[in-house]
Structures are given as C-alpha cells and as structure tokens.
Amino acid sequence: DAEITQSPRHKITETGRQVTLACHQTWNHNNMFWYRQDLGHGLRLIHYSYGVQDTNKGEVSDGYSVSRSNTEDLPLTLESAASSQTSVYFCASSEPGLAGGEQFFGPGTRLTVL
Amino acid sequence: SQKIEQNSEALNIQEGKTATLTCNYTNYSPAYLQWYRQDPGRGPVFLLLIRENEKEKRKERLKVTFDTTLKQSLFHITASQPADSATYLCALDIYGTGANNLFFGTGTRLTVIP
C-alpha cells in the first residue's frame, strides 16, 4: 500500500544546530507540503513543492528550507534551530490537477529545541 | 485579515446524539472546503470535501453543509459513538486549482461520552 512516512518521529536538538526532517511518499504525488502544528494556531504551511526542482514558500517559511530532487522526498531543513521552532511537523502530499483533492498526511515529527 | 474559526476548542456530547461542528471564515472565497479528522499523535485524515456550488454532502453518518453567503460550513456526525472522539479540522482551498493549497482552522476536539 502507498504511504507517506516521516523520520525521525521525535527529535531533541539544541539552539543553533541544523536539523533535517525527512519525508518520503510512495503515492507518486507531485504535490508535497510541510506544515507545523502548534496549540492555538492549527496547521500552518511552511513550504510546498509542485514537482521536482520546484519549491515555494508558505505562510511561515522563515528559518526553514526545502529541496526536491526526486518525486518521493521533500526534506525540511531548519538552518539554525530556535526555541520558537519547537513544534509538531507534518508532511503531506496530494495528486495535482485534481481540484479539491485530499491531502495525505504523514504521522508527524515532534521536534523540541532546547 | 484572513481567518478560519472553528466554533469551539472542545465539544462534549452524549453517545447517540448528533454532533455539530462549525467552521466560519472571513475574507476568503474558497472554491471548496474539506474536513479532516485527527487522532492524538497522528496526522490528519481526510473525511469529506464540498464545493462552492454544493449545499450539502453526505458520507455514511457524516454530513457537511456549505453556505458561501454566511461564509460557514457545518459538519454533522449523527448517532455519535465514542470512537468518533477526535479533533476535527476544516480546511479551505481559496485558489480552486489543482495545487491544493489548504488553509486550516485550529480544530474542534470532540468527545463522545458513553
């Protein structure tokens, strides 16, 4: 069965360190998204990609970057982790060209920045 | 500013009753609206989609309405069961394209009491 996975599931890091969160999907979807979820804010879009070599900034992109070298993976990098980036991060994918198409979410990564 | 509000943070309901959750939005003209379910420690899972030209959509015990004049969607779970206890998120696609960029509400945590 197709799926979307994230790793690690939990991560503790220190302020200033670079951190990369992995996202891998086997749906063969061109659209991929990264969100963060915080109490009182819901899911907020960080970055998204419509295909290989395409990346776009979302609502809360400062301090984050992504790269898309193949269809399956969209890693999220925190260039210099800050305590404000402590959150739960979700990756999602969807089928392009299908207006209203559902997004398929990964299980999430809980990141703590000390 | 643009805003998506879900009626309350938490809703408790007796088993067997109908649960009604509200999603209100301002300053958007969404092409369609989606509802997701999220269980603790897991990613959201798609439930239903309704388009701007549809008034109502049903799926088993779930019913969604969409009033673009009131800028409101109602999500109903009939004959509620304890297994329906979860957080429910509404999401809007304001572009109506195959890009599927979604803006999420903060969610309503539903507890169905046996």
Side-chain angles (χ1 to χ4, degrees):
Chain A
D1 283 349
E3 61 178 354
I4 181 164
T5 56
Q6 294 183 235
S7 62
R9 294 295 313 279
H10 302 271
K11 174 80 176 177
I12 299 174
T13 191
E14 294 176 344
T15 302
R17 290 192 179 266
Q18 184 181 78
V19 176
T20 297
L21 309 183
C23 174
H24 179 81
Q25 53 99 1
T26 58
W27 291 99
N28 201 34
H29 288 159
N30 279 333
N31 294 352
M32 294 185 73
F33 309 86
W34 272 105
Y35 296 90
R36 60 177 290 173
Q37 187 173 39
D38 305 286
L39 277 175
H41 287 282
L43 282 160
R44 290 182 291 173
L45 185 64
I46 305 171
H47 281 286
Y48 57 99
S49 168
Y50 294 151
V52 176
Q53 303 301 330
D54 176 76
T55 61
N56 305 280
K57 293 181 179 181
E59 181 187 2
V60 290
S61 61
D62 287 349
Y64 303 93
S65 64
V66 292
S67 61
R68 189 90 180 269
S69 58
N70 58 51
T71 300
E72 297 80 17
D73 299 289
L74 186 70
L76 177 72
T77 298
L78 287 67
E79 291 130 16
S80 177
S83 57
S84 61
Q85 295 176 308
T86 293
S87 186
V88 181
Y89 292 86
F90 289 99
C91 179
S93 70
S94 71
E95 182 68 25
L98 183 64
E102 65 184 281
Q103 291 192 7
F104 296 82
F105 283 82
T109 294
R110 182 174 295 275
L111 177 68
T112 303
V113 183
L114 300 176
Chain B
S1 63
Q2 299 165 328
K3 203 187 265 189
I4 304 169
E5 288 185 329
Q6 295 192 237
N7 56 327
S8 55
E9 223 175 277
L11 179 66
N12 295 334
I13 192 164
Q14 210 67 37
E15 182 177 5
K17 300 290 186 184
T18 296
T20 298
L21 284 63
T22 305
C23 178
N24 294 296
Y25 56 93
T26 58
N27 298 330
Y28 287 119
S29 294
Y32 56 86
L33 186 148
Q34 300 184 11
W35 284 88
Y36 287 78
R37 170 185 172 134
Q38 187 175 22
D39 292 288
R42 309 190 77 156
V45 175
F46 173 81
L47 294 174
L48 276 172
L49 174 149
I50 187 164
R51 300 182 194 282
E52 59 179 339
N53 60 350
E54 297 175 319
K55 295 291 185 189
E56 182 179 297
K57 202 77 161 292
R58 291 176 185 260
K59 180 182 175 182
E60 298 171 351
R61 294 185 296 111
L62 308 181
K63 185 178 86 171
V64 173
T65 63
F66 194 11
D67 189 325
T68 55
T69 301
L70 291 178
K71 294 187 180 292
Q72 181 181 80
S73 174
L74 299 180
F75 177 80
H76 306 273
I77 306 175
T78 58
S80 59
Q81 304 166 0
D84 296 326
S85 298
T87 296
Y88 292 86
L89 308 170
C90 68
L92 276 60
D93 179 337
I94 63 172
Y95 301 125
T97 69
N100 301 330
N101 283 18
L102 297 178
F103 291 80
F104 282 85
T106 53
T108 296
R109 188 174 67 252
L110 174 68
T111 302
V112 181
I113 302 164

